[in-house]
Amino acid sequence: MELIKIEDLCKVYGEGGNRVTALDHVSLTIEKGEFIAIIGSSGSGKSTLLHIIGGVDVPTSGKVYVDGNDVYAQNNEKLAIFRRRQVGLIYQFHNLIPTLNVVENITLPVLMDKRRVNKERLNDLLEMLGLEGRRTHLPNQLSGGQQQRVSIGRALMNAPAVMLADEPTGSLDSRNGREIVDLLKLSNKKYGQTLIIVTHDENIALQADRIISISDGRIVRDERVRP
Ligand SMILES: Nc1ncnc2c1ncn2[C@@H]1O[C@H](COP(=O)(O)OP(=O)(O)OP(=O)(O)O)[C@@H](O)[C@H]1O
Ligand SMILES: [Mg+2]
């Protein structure tokens, strides 16, 4: 089943001498449950593509559909709900709120949505992330890898259809990095979520079902590695 459809997407930043074409006529379809790695050199447009899929940047032209909905045809309120419920964004520099503990950070998107916390899902996540013993710890009382796992927990709490990870292992040592990728893969398989990881790490890219290579804002290779 097709989950994401991108049609002739262009993104231009700046004007005049500062004008940069970050995405140049990108078209792409992504199936539900796929695990995709996006690779390419620095400045090629990988993060821009991820942000536009996730509803946090705006295309200059072209369309993005997620689950049949035209993402950028929605008003701001609907777009904010789309971001909270459908998309889990995971960054290298985990954006945790320093004054909130582990459980509060993880459940933040649910509370912002004024919905009830699914305790079972929360417990499941804490167990999967190895954070059960750290429920009331603040971010500065956690290791870097644990902080990264909290931000993954938050991205997964609403069971988003799409997980978007931008160099999720960039600031971690190799063991923690492997653990994070394993967790994302587990969640991808267990909950059938679509997983898109931007990475410079060949070992991560080779674990994906499909590798998309971007150069100068264009897709130059799109290869299925696994059926
Ligand atoms: N907010 C912005 N304003 C102006 N130019 C931008 C902005 N964001 C990105 N760019 C430019 O768009 C191009 C693509 O940037 P992007 O962040 O998508 O690259 P990337 O592939 O993620 O690179 P990296 O591997 O270094 O993270 C770059 O040339 C960058 O300078
Ligand atoms: Mg980037």
Side-chain angles (χ1 to χ4, degrees):
M1 197 189 99
E2 180 183 291
L3 182 70
I4 301 170
K5 189 177 177 68
I6 295 168
E7 283 179 353
D8 211 23
L9 183 65
C10 292
K11 177 68 188 183
V12 178
Y13 290 111
E15 286 170 22
N18 286 333
R19 193 183 150 93
V20 174
T21 302
L23 293 174
D24 194 5
H25 300 282
V26 170
S27 295
L28 184 64
T29 56
I30 295 172
E31 300 287 312
K32 183 177 182 310
E34 266 193 300
F35 169 16
I36 296 181
I38 298 181
I39 60 172
S41 55
S42 180
S44 57
K46 305 180 297 297
S47 297
T48 305
L49 179 60
L50 216 61
H51 292 154
I52 291 182
I53 292 174
V56 294
D57 202 344
V58 186
T60 304
S61 62
K63 293 276 187 190
V64 179
Y65 299 92
V66 175
D67 222 357
N69 295 316
D70 184 340
V71 173
Y72 292 95
Q74 312 176 94
N75 62 28
N76 283 341
E77 197 185 337
K78 286 236 168 82
L79 190 61
I81 292 174
F82 164 78
R83 282 196 295 260
R84 281 203 298 271
R85 296 190 186 166
Q86 301 277 73
V87 181
L89 262 172
I90 298 152
Y91 292 99
Q92 178 184 142
F93 302 103
H94 13 90
N95 41 348
L96 301 179
I97 312 244
T99 51
L100 298 183
N101 70 28
V102 167
V103 165
E104 290 164 343
N105 262 293
I106 290 179
T107 54
L108 191 64
V110 182
L111 301 176
M112 278 171 64
D113 234 5
K114 299 187 176 62
R115 292 192 294 167
R116 249 168 19 96
V117 171
N118 179 338
K119 292 248 167 61
E120 207 174 310
R121 182 163 180 85
L122 174 64
N123 291 336
D124 250 21
L125 272 177
L126 288 169
E127 189 189 325
M128 187 172 99
L129 298 164
L131 290 167
E132 288 152 301
R134 298 287 183 280
R135 286 174 170 260
T136 53
H137 280 58
L138 294 173
N140 69 5
Q141 298 170 322
L142 300 169
S143 74
Q146 288 167 339
Q147 290 176 42
Q148 180 68 313
R149 292 202 286 275
V150 175
S151 79
I152 290 183
R154 184 166 63 193
L156 297 182
M157 189 57 209
N158 275 336
V162 191
M163 290 186 289
L164 304 171
D166 199 348
E167 312 246 11
T169 65
S171 61
L172 302 174
D173 66 27
S174 57
R175 187 173 69 87
N176 266 305
R178 268 198 308 278
E179 276 179 23
I180 296 291
V181 173
D182 285 348
L183 274 172
L184 290 172
K185 280 166 59 184
L186 186 73
S187 183
N188 160 249
K189 292 281 171 286
K190 186 170 174 183
Y191 303 111
Q193 293 164 303
T194 302
L195 170 61
I196 307 177
I197 299 186
V198 168
T199 186
H200 284 120
D201 184 337
E202 190 174 287
N203 291 322
I204 295 176
L206 289 172
Q207 296 177 48
D209 304 326
R210 179 176 167 194
I211 301 176
I212 293 173
S213 173
I214 299 189
S215 174
D216 282 335
R218 291 170 176 267
I219 294 178
V220 291
R221 213 182 87 204
D222 183 348
E223 198 175 350
R224 186 161 296 283
V225 205
R226 265 175 214 86

